[in-house]
Amino acid sequence: MENSDSKVLGVVLLIRHGDRQGFYQDPTTYTPSNTVLTPLGNQQEYQLGQLLRQVYLNSSSPSYINGMNGTLVNDAQFRVRADAGGEGGVIVNSAQSLIQGLIPANSNFTTTLANGTTIEAPLNGYQYLPIESVEPTNDISLEGWTSCQTFDKSTSAFYNSTEFQEKAAEYKNFLDLLPQFLDGRSWNIYDFMNVNFIHNSAFAKALPQGYLETARYLADWHEYNVFSDPQLDGIGNIAGQTILPSIIDGFNSILNDTDPVKFVYLAISYKPFLSLFSMTKVTEASPELAAIVNYAAVLALEVRQPASGEPVLRFNFMNGTGTDFKRYHILGSTSDVLVSEFMSQLQPAEIDSINQWCSVCINTQDRGCGALSVAVAESRPTISPVSAGFLGAGLMLAVALAMFAVLFFLGCLTVGHKRKRSTKTSIASSEA
């Protein structure tokens, strides 16, 4: 990593899960199926945790976060949120493996009882860090694209676009050669090929040289076009729009001297990476990032304090284990950007409430939208125009307050963490 005279105040990490078994998702709605993490995936995340420990929790590191105790950890300094959605337990389990590497067991993690007995935590002093399991049925923050009609229509429009048809025609000969390797599969092609190339020796030997690389290129092109948008608030960026509140919450906590949180870890799939790369314009200067990130890829958003002036944000990315962190420039800048500038440019596009998401996605039934619709309907009075005129503004105020109370009770006014504000075989089926 590049370093300067600025010091790291804290970091928000976005990390993809590790290697997993086969995964299937609808090519239009991206409705997923469950899968499981492999031992290789566990190792990838564990090793990444060890690396992050050396970078941020080691007092001799130039990127050490001052005040972080990497020996006997203080839970209050960490915030971990993991997507518990369509890939089953893969992402949550990845987070657990990473934390094992980040915070190793310590024999000093003990307590002394009143009778003088000293008790060591299990597993030679294993330290347990809380993980918030983010369930997509009631929280859209880490998986904002599913059950979203507007997103589905956008994806379908992409498949019908001239650009898509031209790409399909360009690679028709290659695509016609693939069925013999796909076991009857006509979508999620790259994922099937990649999983088998890693875990099936017969498949890896039979697959002609260059086939996996070409399939990866098409998958990268496909997924970036689905999960990006030229307009900051365009529906293609929804995966980034919904995760932004969690990111900005992290920044606010780090910059708040009264808040102990300095290390924020968001465990996710690859989709939010693509949207954020689009929204931050990092792909304009670095087009290689317009691609599916590898297993255990990590985006480190470092909040830094220069020798003078406002806090700045440094954008470091490492595309999986076995690679190195590289610093990238965002928002058209050639250096670190002010945290305030990042917020002012991106925050207007964030989706930070269930109500807003339901409206954007035209959903009145799923993911909390049904409860919201019922709350609104039940709070609306049925009275005649004469009665309305007689009751006047007093009743309307009471109804508004009642509606607010119902929504607050249902938890429909916020998304994810509470905000602390300071200011067909076709390329359509390619997926990682």
Side-chain angles (χ1 to χ4, degrees), residues 60-312:
S60 63
S61 167
S63 296
Y64 170 65
I65 302 173
N66 189 45
M68 294 291 289
N69 189 335
T71 304
L72 293 176
V73 300
N74 176 2
D75 290 358
Q77 295 182 316
F78 295 83
R79 180 183 300 156
V80 182
R81 309 186 75 228
D83 181 2
E87 294 183 67
V90 165
I91 298 177
V92 174
N93 291 342
S94 291
Q96 292 172 336
S97 293
L98 186 144
I99 289 171
Q100 288 174 343
L102 179 71
I103 306 171
N106 190 300
S107 59
N108 291 319
F109 185 33
T110 63
T111 186
T112 301
L113 306 182
N115 63 7
T117 302
T118 298
I119 303 297
E120 180 183 291
L123 304 175
N124 300 315
Y126 182 83
Q127 301 183 75
Y128 300 84
L129 194 64
I131 300 175
E132 179 188 351
S133 175
V134 180
E135 306 291 338
T137 54
N138 52 36
D139 188 324
I140 55 88
S141 60
L142 302 187
E143 198 169 302
W145 56 91
T146 56
S147 303
C148 181
Q149 291 187 42
T150 313
F151 173 79
D152 297 347
K153 290 179 180 178
S154 174
T155 305
S156 295
F158 169 60
Y159 293 156
N160 291 320
S161 68
T162 300
E163 181 183 17
F164 184 89
Q165 299 304 323
E166 289 176 349
K167 185 69 72 173
E170 180 183 355
Y171 283 87
K172 181 179 185 303
N173 291 338
F174 170 73
L175 295 169
D176 287 345
L177 294 172
L178 288 183
Q180 60 185 309
F181 303 105
L182 301 180
D183 193 28
R185 194 167 273 90
S186 62
W187 47 286
N188 292 151
I189 293 172
Y190 171 68
D191 189 80
F192 175 82
M193 293 174 66
N194 186 51
V195 169
N196 278 277
F197 191 81
I198 294 172
H199 297 282
N200 184 333
S201 61
F203 179 91
K205 291 177 182 177
L207 191 68
Q209 186 175 4
Y211 273 42
L212 186 65
E213 291 77 10
T214 302
R216 172 64 186 259
Y217 163 75
L218 292 174
D220 287 343
W221 179 84
H222 176 272
E223 295 302 288
Y224 187 73
N225 277 278
V226 170
F227 287 98
S228 66
D229 203 293
Q231 301 299 318
L232 185 65
D233 59 354
I235 194 63
N237 286 332
I238 192 167
Q241 294 162 8
T242 54
I243 201 173
L244 261 178
S246 296
I247 294 172
I248 293 176
D249 279 349
F251 294 163
N252 286 331
S253 291
I254 291 167
L255 293 171
N256 184 349
D257 291 337
T258 65
D259 192 327
V261 173
K262 302 301 175 190
F263 191 104
V264 178
Y265 166 24
L266 304 176
I268 55 176
S269 69
Y270 68 88
K271 287 94 165 175
F273 287 93
L274 298 178
S275 292
L276 288 170
F277 290 166
S278 168
M279 297 172 75
T280 58
K281 303 179 182 179
V282 68
T283 53
E284 293 181 4
S286 304
E288 70 274 12
L289 292 185
I292 299 164
V293 300
N294 293 331
Y295 293 138
V298 53
L299 173 59
L301 301 173
E302 295 178 352
V303 178
R304 288 174 165 261
Q305 180 59 59
S308 61
E310 294 182 40
V312 297

